[in-house]
Amino acid sequence: MARSRQTIVSLEDTPYYHCCSRVVRKAFLCGIDNSTGENYEHRREWVDSRILELATIFAIDICAYAVMSNHLHVVLKVDAEKAKKWSDEEVLIQWHKGFKGTLLTHKYLKEEDLNQFELQTVNECITEYRKRLIDISWFMRSLSEPIARMANKEDKCTGRFWEGRFKSQALLDEAAVLACMAYVDLNPIRAKMTATPETSDYTSIKRRIHSAMKGEQPTELLPFVGNERLNMPNGLMFSVKDYIVLVEDTGRIIREDKRGAISSSSQDILNRLNIPADNWLKITTEFGALFKGAVGALPALTEYCEHLDRKRRQGAANCQRWLCA
């Protein structure tokens, strides 16, 4: 039975979540539909652009994403502290970037005179908008609805384009986050849509590689910030170079027509994550099948279930088997 988002999301335990949406109709989201011969490849650009646009609106960072032929994956990090620090004016500015707001919220930003009742109404809107700007359900809704309208218009039809609900799972620790990111980044290679990560169109790994070639990191994505230290900036552990090498090593191995091996730098990461190389390959090729609920080491999974008042730890056996040495 599907669970409400309130029983899945626990920012107390983790800000990281893996989300997946699938189309409900036979027609492809993107690519070439073999049943009709129609080419919908341009829709991948729609989704790619929308994901990156929403990252500039919400207090939610993009860790990884991949736009496939009939589904999409995103790994998100909710930055609740960022939203808390926004002033009331900044909350409204952020909200108006992607949504209409109300007549009163626009008047408030223009510093027009408002009576006490109108100010109270604006304050209620600000409180609600602040919550929505860290809500992954609002993020995914804001991603899916415009794409569905555009696709329906193009297909000259009405009705559902996406499945009724997107799937989401909490990523409870560093190992779960990195494994899920690699799984998402390697989707096109596993599907044999491309040969290498740097040629994987409409994925986060291609953006990271192309930026790394210039000695930079893509501003649209949550950056890698190195090892933990004092005054730690917001970002992902490890170096971007090590992550790219790890994904490239893994991609070579999972391709049937290529031989490969985990390099020493990649092995160092796996040692730090306490994941054997064989387990890593299993996780990054079958993450979606292995883990249906929250993902992480048993202590983290136990705390997560306790905070959400769950009586059983869904997926505990696979977490223990594949995420531990």
Side-chain angles (χ1 to χ4, degrees):
M1 182 181 296
R3 294 180 178 272
S4 68
R5 299 302 172 197
Q6 292 179 346
T7 66
I8 295 175
V9 176
S10 173
L11 297 183
E12 179 181 0
D13 293 290
T14 181
Y16 294 97
Y17 293 86
H18 168 221
C19 302
C20 177
S21 284
R22 294 183 178 275
V23 297
V24 72
R25 295 202 298 265
K26 184 178 180 181
F28 277 9
L29 164 65
C30 310
I32 298 176
D33 187 338
N34 293 328
S35 63
T36 65
E38 293 287 341
N39 190 333
Y40 299 108
E41 187 70 14
H42 58 281
R43 292 180 180 174
R44 299 177 76 189
E45 175 62 35
W46 294 354
V47 181
D48 185 286
S49 298
R50 185 60 177 168
I51 290 173
L52 301 179
E53 179 186 2
L54 291 176
T56 68
I57 299 171
F58 285 78
I60 296 177
D61 296 306
I62 312 298
C63 302
Y65 72 89
V67 184
M68 305 297 287
S69 61
N70 60 358
H71 68 285
L72 65 91
H73 292 272
V74 288
V75 179
L76 307 173
K77 182 187 180 185
V78 179
D79 194 345
E81 288 302 314
K82 180 179 181 180
K84 287 180 183 178
K85 293 177 182 178
W86 279 337
S87 66
D88 290 349
E89 290 78 9
E90 286 173 325
V91 169
L92 292 180
I93 290 171
Q94 288 300 120
W95 186 257
H96 290 167
K97 285 181 181 179
F99 306 93
K100 291 182 179 179
T102 68
L103 176 62
L104 291 180
T105 59
H106 284 280
K107 290 179 68 175
Y108 180 86
L109 285 180
K110 293 176 183 177
E111 299 183 350
E112 297 182 12
D113 291 336
L114 299 174
N115 61 40
Q116 186 175 355
F117 175 76
E118 290 173 331
L119 281 173
Q120 181 180 346
T121 302
V122 170
N123 287 331
E124 290 172 355
C125 288
I126 291 170
T127 299
E128 183 62 26
Y129 294 164
R130 199 185 297 271
K131 292 178 182 177
R132 291 179 182 178
L133 289 170
I134 59 169
D135 189 329
I136 61 172
S137 291
W138 267 91
F139 183 98
M140 294 301 293
R141 170 182 174 179
S142 303
L143 169 61
S144 301
E145 285 187 357
I147 304 302
R149 286 195 295 269
M150 293 166 67
N152 281 349
K153 182 178 180 181
E154 187 175 67
D155 293 341
K156 297 181 175 61
C157 68
T158 60
R160 290 186 179 275
F161 182 74
W162 301 94
E163 288 181 345
R165 287 166 56 92
F166 68 91
K167 297 178 181 178
S168 65
Q169 58 188 156
L171 306 174
L172 301 176
D173 55 31
E174 195 176 64
V177 171
L178 212 67
C180 187
M181 286 178 60
Y183 167 78
V184 169
D185 279 330
L186 289 167
N187 254 262
I189 292 178
R190 288 196 308 276
K192 298 183 179 179
M193 294 172 62
T194 188
T196 59
E198 61 267 25
T199 58
S200 299
D201 292 333
Y202 308 112
T203 62
S204 52
I205 189 62
K206 181 175 180 178
R207 284 187 177 275
R208 292 195 188 277
I209 291 173
H210 284 205
S211 292
M213 292 170 66
K214 304 173 187 176
E216 303 171 350
Q217 293 201 55
T219 57
E220 309 93 340
L221 303 176
L222 185 66
F224 283 85
V225 294
N227 296 327
E228 189 171 1
R229 56 192 182 276
L230 292 175
N231 300 318
M232 189 72 176
N234 180 41
L236 297 156
M237 299 296 183
F238 306 105
S239 74
V240 64
K241 178 182 177 181
D242 287 346
Y243 175 74
I244 290 173
V245 171
L246 177 61
V247 172
E248 289 180 335
D249 287 348
T250 308
R252 290 191 190 96
I253 296 172
I254 65 176
R255 284 192 59 204
E256 293 180 355
D257 60 338
K258 276 198 174 185
R259 298 178 61 187
I262 295 293
S263 66
S264 58
S265 62
S266 296
Q267 188 61 56
D268 287 342
I269 295 180
L270 298 185
N271 291 341
R272 174 175 163 182
L273 296 175
N274 201 30
I275 300 178
D278 289 343
N279 287 22
W280 174 259
L281 296 175
K282 178 77 172 179
I283 293 168
T284 51
T285 52
E286 301 179 32
F287 192 96
L290 291 174
F291 308 111
K292 300 302 183 182
V295 186
L298 287 185
L301 183 60
T302 299
E303 287 188 18
Y304 169 82
C305 292
E306 288 176 352
H307 291 155
L308 294 177
D309 197 26
R310 292 193 182 180
K311 296 181 179 178
R312 60 184 295 267
R313 300 174 300 177
Q314 182 185 16
N318 276 345
C319 285
Q320 183 176 30
R321 179 177 181 182
W322 298 109
L323 286 174
C324 299

